[in-house]
Amino acid sequence: MSGLRVWLDGAVLEGSQASVSPLAHGLHYGTGVFEGVRCYATARGPAVFRLADHLARMKKGADALGMPFDEAAVTEGVLQTLRANDLRSAYVRPLSFYEGGGLGLDVAPLRARHLVAAMPWKSHLGTGPDAGGVRLRTSSFRRNPSSAMPPLKLCGGYVNSILAKLEATRHGFEEALFVDARGFVCEATGENVFMVKGGRVTAVEHPDALPGITRATVMALCGAEARAVTLEELRDADEVFLTGTSAEVAAVSTLDTRELGVGPVTRELSSLYQAVVHGDAEQARGWLLHA
Ligand code: PMP
């Protein structure tokens, strides 16, 4: 964290000064909740995209963990962190986790800590209308079923994504696709899935998938229908793309053994998304909070 300032429990401090107990419950058991948020440079200065929606989702995760969470305080934390680091364009990481109070599994005696960090960012999958696309491989891992863990950004749940991603990269792919036991597509490790067939855009719907904010944005922009999709149907699509705060709109150029390339609908939606997040499109109104 050297050189970066963070917001911790209401105060901005040097990252190197932020300390956490080695017995932090969140470190041992993943008892925390986080968000991934983007701040974009716009003509009117830096602006955070759909922060209220991200923090509303984070609150649901905090509620599931029985953790107090103050959306107004964390909103202020995000803005203060961006200003303190003089960031115009950044990835913002709010994280709330349990710390001291013992290592038992009852969270009642624990103290919650609330952190916001921000850093310069480029899409982790390479994005934008000119990007070459993502090589996606069907995972042998199943997604955490929502009957075992709610599809929220709970820290421990991400071990599932990490195992799937590791398997994919070991096979020379960039990203993994979760498919359920009945053959329905769920999501990727950190992105939702869309397909295009005959010019129609479909957002993959699955009860175990995170309700993505980028997915909701893209659906609002193009009027995509949301429904369940099998892997067989996805393999037969004209275009497949992924959506996520970090990935933005990223074409899937390879799906297992199939070469899809980067299609025209994906390219167009990717351009539109870039215009929206940078405040250059009509639809951005109400989604950008100036830092
Ligand atoms: N699924 C998972 C598992 C994720 O971690 C993410 C990233 N938050 C997404 C989907 C996409 O969600 P969003 O568009 O809200 O970033």
Side-chain angles (χ1 to χ4, degrees):
M1 296 300 302
S2 74
L4 277 182
R5 293 197 181 119
V6 300
W7 179 92
L8 185 60
D9 301 324
V12 172
L13 64 167
E14 294 297 330
S16 57
Q17 300 299 305
S19 70
V20 173
S21 163
L23 292 183
H25 204 264
L27 184 62
H28 292 254
Y29 303 122
T31 43
V33 58
F34 69 98
E35 267 304 325
V37 187
R38 291 284 284 272
C39 172
Y40 290 93
T42 77
R44 292 180 51 218
V48 188
F49 189 62
R50 300 194 71 166
L51 180 60
D53 298 299
H54 282 281
L55 297 186
R57 182 169 69 187
M58 192 169 170
K59 169 93 168 76
K60 284 189 194 163
D63 287 348
L65 290 169
M67 180 185 280
F69 184 78
D70 181 343
E71 283 163 79
V74 178
T75 300
E76 193 47 41
V78 168
L79 299 177
Q80 285 183 18
T81 307
L82 288 166
R83 289 180 201 134
N85 290 290
D86 198 21
L87 287 164
R88 275 146 245 273
S89 144
Y91 180 81
V92 185
R93 166 55 55 86
L95 168 68
S96 295
F97 59 98
Y98 278 125
E99 200 188 38
L103 286 177
L105 298 185
D106 178 7
V107 297
L110 305 178
R111 172 164 90 113
R113 310 228 33 206
H114 304 279
L115 171 79
V116 180
M119 58 210 80
W121 197 255
K122 289 238 180 322
S123 162
H124 71 290
L125 292 175
T127 193
D130 303 324
V134 180
R135 293 164 48 74
L136 183 66
R137 179 179 187 272
T138 302
S139 184
S140 70
F141 290 94
R142 301 284 179 228
R143 188 66 174 135
N144 299 319
S146 54
S147 55
M149 179 176 283
L152 295 167
K153 292 185 77 76
L154 301 179
C155 297
Y158 275 80
V159 174
N160 178 227
S161 281
I162 289 160
L163 292 174
K165 182 105 176 176
L166 189 57
E167 179 191 55
T169 56
R170 280 178 174 154
H171 284 85
F173 287 73
E174 291 162 279
E175 184 51 303
L177 177 70
F178 288 111
V179 176
D180 74 14
R182 292 162 59 224
F184 286 98
V185 175
C186 181
E187 62 179 337
T189 66
E191 303 85 25
N192 293 112
V193 182
F194 281 73
M195 59 167 259
V196 184
K197 181 76 179 177
R200 285 169 73 105
V201 184
T202 302
V204 171
E205 192 157 89
H206 196 286
D208 303 338
L210 185 79
I213 291 163
T214 319
R215 175 183 186 269
T217 302
V218 169
M219 286 178 69
L221 293 176
C222 72
E225 70 160 335
R227 64 173 170 82
V229 170
T230 62
L231 177 59
E232 197 181 3
E233 188 181 1
L234 194 75
R235 284 188 171 141
D236 189 45
D238 299 331
E239 299 177 36
V240 176
F241 64 88
L242 305 178
T243 61
T245 296
S246 174
E248 300 173 318
V249 174
V252 171
S253 56
T254 306
L255 172 56
D256 297 317
T257 55
R258 204 181 146 212
E259 295 297 329
L260 286 144
V262 182
V265 176
T266 304
R267 217 182 283 273
E268 195 182 317
L269 283 171
S270 176
S271 296
L272 179 56
Y273 185 78
Q274 289 302 317
V276 167
V277 295
H278 287 94
D280 298 330
E282 177 75 5
Q283 295 95 324
R285 209 178 300 144
W287 281 339
L288 291 168
L289 175 67
H290 287 271

